[in-house]
Amino acid sequence: MKERDSESFESLSHQVLPNTSNGESLSHQVLPNTSNGTHMIQMANSGSSAAAQAGQDQPDRSKWLLDCPEPPSPWHEIKSYVKGYFLNKAKRFKSLQKQPLPKRILSILQAVFPIFGWCRNYKLTMFKNDLMAGLTLASLCIPQSIGYATLAKLDPQYGLYTSVVPPLIYALMGTSREIAIGPVAVVSLLISSMLQKLIDPEVDPLGYKKLVITTTFFAGIFQASFGLFRLGFLVDFLSHAAIVGFMGGAAIVIGLQQLKGLLGITNFTTNTDIVSVLRAVWRSCQQQWSPHTFILGCSFLSFILITRFIGKKNKKLFWLPAIAPLIAVVVSTIMVFLTKADEHGVKTVKHIKGGLNPISIHDLDFNTPHLGQIAKIGLIIAIIALTEAIAVGRSFAGIKGYRLDGNKEMMAIGFSNVIGSFTSCYAATGSFSRTAVNFAAGCETAMSNIVMSVTVFVALECLTRLLYYTPIAILASIILSALPGLIDINEAVHIWKLDKFDFLALIGAFIGVLFASVEIGLLVAVVISFAKIILISVRPGIETLRRMPGTDIFADTNQYPMTVKTPGVLIFRVKSALLCFANASSIEERIMGCVNEEEEEENIKSNAKRKILFVVLDMSNLINVDTSGITALAELHNNLTQAGVELVIVNPKWEVIHKLNQARFVSKIGGKVYMTIEEALDACFGLKV
């Protein structure tokens, strides 16, 4: 083996020439070879004194790595985090103690209820803008809330109840100025599709209502807990791509379900998959449907969509698409009343219970045999609702240039739903369409939510009797008009161009919701997202590094084809933050495979024996390593040693070098641990010379 090393190095040493013109110990220059058009690396040795100086400097720099202090243990990090958290709280408490009592109370109130902060600087001009925005918001919210309640298989008044109490609570506790709180289409679909499997709303409407109220309570508890214990990362388990696919599939399912109201169909399927819905529509159309209802619904759907198109073309007419649903409700109700269309097959809303939200604490049912399933459904609704609300809030906060407090948002929405469940509300969250209207109407603060809530309450007290003749087809058309905003084709194309794996999660969620169920769609999206993470962890990439011409920078050969090879050396970098049981064997096999492949290529080209002397492993990406990873490194070192190749480690992180020292791996490789690739090459070739 020694003979093979000496023979290998003889071919390399022909390119190592003395250079007495500069003071560098081992400088690397790329010189053209005019005879064959190739490049070779010329390593210059400035003399024994400079080499000796380099030899003195190099071990000192390596000692910086080898003699670093012991990193903190996981227990110490947890203890430091908890200690810092409580010390921070204690400092705040001490600062509060120094303040006068009135100011102390105000500071506490501002921390819990942000409204006490911004209302101190509230002006009349701001209220005028919020008043206009709130009234515009209410004109859109009233018909949408009634429609979404029917989508959730509840009586229409429950949608209006949900637009009264939750917006008030959010205005007190929320940090977003633009977000509009209330019922939304996707959450309404989740409630109806999952809870009707437990209790049929047509057979037992009271029992179904109790399930909805209890589910809302659980959703609020989960949301408030996420904010209180800073568990917002749980919401991130649903990736952006998965949400885009889920929203698109849910929008199509919601649209297909609205064919029942648009066609005036009496008997309809309770399933949500596209096959069952289309089969039910086909059977109903062959038997009995109402042409008058279909014509009425399509006419006002066209009207709403045309006003939306006009509003997009002319920003000054933003109020037109906002009030179009209310105009559709008023005009269609008058038409049905005057023409007595309800006697000719046009189905109407009929009685809507008016008045203030009734107390519903007694409807919370914790003795039901479905409690476990209700809690699971509440968790799903909590995550979906938070994902939509925080995404909407952050997008508009970015436009206005202020920061949204995610933890406070979770607590605000959570308490809105908990208190809402006490007042006959079902799960509420931020609506993108209504938030966009609120923003376009010029809202200044969350006061617009309060104005909207008061307006809806007035409608509950005074106007519910007037909605007796409102056609159900109009509610279906209002819901259908809001669905195009949930289908983001441009974003899907953008995700396809950026990341094919993310697009796979998008398609999985879309197809799962469309052809199976809402739960299956979410499950498929989460599974694909986790599969991506696992695949990247188990099969991380290996970068082969070479020198950039004229520099001391070493870069990936695939990304930079102009890089220059250093004879006798292979340099690798692992594209993973962890070297662990999941990927250690794979990384070792791939490195050895690259070494063997390189040797075969060199042998074919030069018909000579082995030319690889060193394998340099750049650990700059690795954050941590476990026992399996250390074992794999030891096996890699043994395999390379048997092949006459030396292993060199470069730039290990704090915890990595500490574990390698504890495992005595550094001594096994002869202490060849360096801070940079350049230093590693200088030291190794200097030792060989």
Side-chain angles (χ1 to χ4, degrees):
M1 189 177 298
K2 291 183 179 179
E3 293 176 0
R4 183 168 53 187
D5 281 353
S6 61
E7 290 173 0
S8 301
F9 190 73
E10 283 176 5
S11 63
L12 176 65
S13 62
H14 291 301
Q15 302 177 54
V16 181
L17 303 176
N19 183 358
T20 59
S21 61
N22 56 45
E24 294 178 2
S25 61
L26 289 167
S27 63
H28 299 267
Q29 301 174 2
V30 182
L31 301 179
N33 187 342
T34 55
S35 61
N36 55 14
T38 62
H39 293 80
M40 69 178 182
I41 306 297
Q42 183 178 19
M43 294 185 235
N45 189 350
S46 65
S48 59
S49 61
Q53 183 65 35
Q56 292 174 1
D57 292 344
Q58 186 61 50
D60 291 338
R61 290 173 64 84
S62 296
K63 284 183 179 180
W64 295 350
L65 281 170
L66 299 176
D67 298 339
C68 60
E70 184 177 344
S73 64
W75 167 248
H76 184 268
E77 289 184 353
I78 294 172
K79 188 170 68 173
S80 298
Y81 173 79
V82 173
K83 183 179 178 181
Y85 177 80
F86 284 105
L87 280 176
N88 189 28
K89 294 293 184 183
K91 287 179 181 179
R92 291 184 179 180
F93 182 75
K94 287 181 180 179
S95 63
L96 283 175
Q97 292 291 336
K98 296 177 182 179
Q99 296 176 0
L101 182 60
K103 196 172 182 180
R104 193 187 312 167
I105 295 173
L106 183 61
S107 298
I108 295 173
L109 289 175
Q110 286 179 5
V112 180
F113 304 104
I115 189 173
F116 287 99
W118 56 259
C119 72
R120 295 167 63 189
N121 301 318
Y122 200 67
K123 299 177 181 178
L124 182 61
T125 54
M126 299 171 69
F127 178 71
K128 290 180 181 178
N129 293 332
D130 285 336
L131 179 63
M132 181 59 67
L135 293 174
T136 307
L137 201 57
S139 66
L140 175 63
C141 175
I142 291 171
Q144 276 193 353
S145 298
I146 296 173
Y148 292 153
T150 59
L151 178 60
K153 309 294 184 182
L154 292 168
D155 293 333
Q157 65 267 18
Y158 289 99
L160 296 175
Y161 293 157
T162 308
S163 297
V164 175
V165 175
L168 286 176
I169 304 302
Y170 180 84
L172 295 174
M173 303 183 66
T175 58
S176 175
R177 304 170 193 168
E178 295 82 22
I179 195 168
I181 300 296
V184 296
V186 173
V187 173
S188 301
L189 173 66
L190 283 170
I191 288 174
S192 62
S193 62
M194 291 191 286
L195 289 181
Q196 68 181 356
K197 296 177 182 178
L198 305 178
I199 294 180
D200 191 340
E202 295 184 1
V203 175
D204 185 7
L206 182 60
Y208 178 78
K209 185 193 78 170
K210 289 183 177 181
L211 283 188
V212 173
I213 298 297
T214 309
T215 303
T216 301
F217 175 79
F218 275 110
I221 290 295
F222 283 125
Q223 290 167 336
S225 300
F226 292 164
L228 185 62
F229 297 107
R230 300 179 180 273
L231 300 176
F233 65 90
L234 294 174
V235 178
D236 296 330
F237 282 155
L238 283 177
S239 64
H240 172 67
I243 289 296
V244 172
F246 171 76
M247 290 292 187
I252 295 176
V253 168
I254 293 169
L256 290 173
Q257 287 194 336
Q258 297 315 301
L259 293 177
K260 175 185 178 181
L262 201 64
L263 297 172
I265 299 172
T266 304
N267 298 319
F268 204 69
T269 180
T270 58
N271 296 329
T272 59
D273 62 284
I274 187 172
V275 176
S276 300
V277 173
L278 289 178
R279 186 185 294 120
V281 171
W282 176 254
R283 289 174 180 173
S284 300
C285 288
Q286 288 180 328
Q287 297 173 1
Q288 185 178 5
W289 62 289
S290 173
H292 299 93
T293 303
F294 181 72
I295 294 172
L296 184 67
C298 289
S299 301
F300 282 98
L301 175 60
S302 302
F303 166 72
I304 295 172
L305 293 177
I306 290 171
T307 57
R308 182 167 296 178
F309 177 77
I310 294 172
K312 285 184 178 180
K313 289 294 183 180
N314 190 347
K315 299 298 182 183
K316 294 181 179 179
L317 297 176
F318 69 88
W319 52 269
L320 185 59
I323 66 170
L326 186 61
I327 294 173
V329 168
V330 172
V331 174
S332 63
T333 301
I334 294 173
M335 288 175 60
V336 170
F337 176 74
L338 294 177
T339 60
K340 299 186 185 301
D342 57 321
E343 298 178 2
H344 300 282
V346 176
K347 297 183 179 298
T348 60
V349 174
K350 297 183 178 179
H351 178 69
I352 297 179
K353 185 179 178 181
L356 185 62
N357 297 34
I359 300 299
S360 58
I361 297 178
H362 58 277
D363 288 330
L364 294 173
D365 189 2
F366 300 111
N367 296 320
T368 175
H370 307 299
L371 190 63
Q373 292 173 295
I374 291 174
K376 182 194 75 172
I377 295 170
L379 178 61
I380 295 173
I381 291 172
I383 293 175
I384 294 295
L386 281 180
T387 302
E388 182 174 0
I390 292 176
V392 171
R394 283 178 177 168
S395 62
F396 286 96
I399 296 173
K400 282 288 188 73
Y402 67 92
R403 180 180 173 277
L404 199 70
D405 192 326
N407 291 314
K408 287 187 177 179
E409 286 296 292
M410 295 179 192
M411 291 183 66
I413 296 173
F415 277 104
S416 297
N417 283 322
V418 170
I419 298 174
S421 67
F422 300 157
T423 55
S424 300
C425 303
Y426 74 95
T429 188
S431 165
F432 186 84
S433 61
R434 293 198 294 273
T435 302
V437 169
N438 197 26
F439 175 79
C443 72
E444 297 281 351
T445 65
M447 183 62 72
S448 59
N449 270 294
I450 298 175
V451 173
M452 179 197 72
S453 176
V454 172
T455 307
V456 175
F457 169 69
V458 172
L460 274 168
E461 286 287 348
C462 307
L463 304 178
T464 51
R465 295 178 183 177
L466 302 178
L467 299 175
Y468 183 90
Y469 292 100
T470 301
I472 292 177
I474 297 303
L475 302 181
S477 66
I478 291 171
I479 294 174
L480 286 169
S481 68
L483 298 182
L486 298 178
I487 304 174
D488 198 342
I489 298 176
N490 292 331
E491 186 64 19
V493 173
H494 180 65
I495 291 172
W496 164 260
K497 292 178 180 178
L498 286 181
D499 193 323
K500 301 299 187 292
F501 222 118
D502 270 357
F503 185 77
L504 183 60
L506 184 152
I507 289 297
F510 180 80
I511 294 177
V513 171
L514 208 58
F515 290 96
S517 65
V518 174
E519 308 98 295
I520 296 297
L522 288 173
L523 181 62
V524 168
V526 172
V527 167
I528 292 176
S529 299
F530 272 97
K532 174 186 176 182
I533 297 172
I534 294 171
L535 186 62
I536 293 173
S537 300
V538 173
R539 300 288 296 176
I542 298 289
E543 293 179 343
T544 301
L545 307 182
R546 292 179 182 176
R547 186 188 299 274
M548 296 288 287
T551 70
D552 291 335
I553 300 172
F554 291 80
D556 182 18
T557 56
N558 293 324
Q559 185 176 0
Y560 301 99
M562 75 289 297
T563 52
V564 181
K565 182 179 178 181
T566 303
V569 181
L570 283 179
I571 307 170
F572 298 105
R573 182 166 60 206
V574 182
K575 294 195 293 185
S576 174
L578 297 174
L579 184 62
C580 59
F581 66 94
N583 58 22
S585 298
S586 171
I587 290 173
E588 184 220 338
E589 291 172 1
R590 296 181 71 174
I591 291 176
M592 286 303 304
C594 291
V595 172
N596 295 331
E597 185 179 344
E598 183 70 18
E599 288 176 351
E600 292 176 2
E601 290 182 2
E602 290 291 339
N603 291 336
I604 292 172
K605 288 180 181 179
S606 60
N607 293 322
K609 293 184 179 180
R610 180 186 309 278
K611 290 191 175 183
I612 298 174
L613 303 178
F614 305 103
V615 167
V616 178
L617 187 58
D618 183 356
M619 289 188 166
S620 56
N621 285 343
L622 289 178
I623 297 174
N624 210 334
V625 60
D626 67 0
T627 54
S628 299
I630 295 173
T631 302
L633 287 175
E635 291 178 0
L636 175 64
H637 169 63
N638 292 335
N639 292 334
L640 291 175
T641 302
Q642 291 174 7
V645 181
E646 297 184 25
L647 178 63
V648 180
I649 301 298
V650 169
N651 195 20
K653 300 295 184 185
W654 192 7
E655 292 194 1
V656 175
I657 189 61
H658 175 69
K659 290 185 177 180
L660 294 181
N661 268 327
Q662 282 190 321
R664 298 178 182 177
F665 178 77
V666 174
S667 60
K668 287 181 183 178
I669 63 174
K672 295 183 181 66
V673 180
Y674 304 97
M675 296 196 71
T676 65
I677 298 175
E678 180 72 15
E679 291 178 3
L681 296 182
D682 285 350
C684 293
F685 281 118
L687 291 173
K688 281 289 181 182
V689 173

